[in-house]
Amino acid sequence: QKEVEQDPGPLSVPEGAIVSLNCTYSNSAFQYFMWYRQYSRKGPELLMYTYSSGNKEDGRFTAQVDKSSKYISLFIRDSQPSDSATYLCAMSSNYGGATNKLIFGTGTLLAVQP
Amino acid sequence: NAGVMQNPRHLVRRRGQEARLRCSPMKGHSHVYWYRQLPEEGLKFMVYLQKENIIDESGMPKERFSAEFPKEGPSILRIQQVVRGDSAAYFCASSPPNSQETQYFGPGTRLLVL
């Protein structure tokens, strides 16, 4: 079993839709939860960062972490064609001497249709 | 405000040659991470360095791969005697001193081994 599971998609939605992206994980030591956006043949871009459980909102993006269920989500409101990209969840821990190396999901490919 | 810089962006090598990938972190960042992205796979951690020190190399293959981050100059990921299976995108990320979990990625170096 992978430490981080993410549905690879592809996920296709019409412009303006609310998008929900999710990851599950197995390592209860993870404390930091990130979402990255990666356009084709580019480097990952940090979108959202959350420490421990809870919600965080930034513009059209909302990140949720439920540590009891080991489940994280990213919501995109009013999706735009420019949101079309691969979305990667990532997690890390510095508990017990761990070094905050990021463990990534495989990414979900999102296509927003105009 | 320059982000993480990587060069070259594309590198072609024949089997048995050496590949040297360079990474300059963001200004003020003293932590460098290297990740590899194989086709159809997610990003995988390779190594974490601070200036003149390797902190975590648990993701590095035991042979042919090495990394350094000297006191002056960029971080270098070196692959000796490359094989076709080394073909991948190699990404460098950097983080500020007191926030290692927030890692910012460079554009990557795409290595092709013929």
Side-chain angles (χ1 to χ4, degrees), chain A residues 34 36 91-92 100-104, chain B residues 35 45 101 103 105:
Chain A
M34 278 67 68
Y36 286 84
M91 314 178 183
S92 71
N100 277 122
K101 61 186 180 187
L102 295 178
I103 308 300
F104 281 88
Chain B
Y35 294 82
F45 167 79
E101 68 280 357
Q103 297 176 25
F105 282 76

Side-chain angles (χ1 to χ4, degrees), chain B residues 25-26 28-32 48-51 69 94-98:
Chain B
M26 289 177 69
H29 287 193
S30 54
H31 301 254
V32 166
Y48 163 38
L49 310 103
Q50 297 177 19
K51 285 283 187 182
F69 189 14
S94 72
S95 66
N98 297 319

Side-chain angles (χ1 to χ4, degrees), chain B residues 4-9 22-24 34 90-92 106-109:
Chain B
V4 178
M5 310 274 284
Q6 287 189 252
N7 66 82
R9 296 291 303 277
R22 288 177 290 278
C23 168
S24 295
W34 285 93
Y90 292 82
F91 291 97
C92 168
T109 293

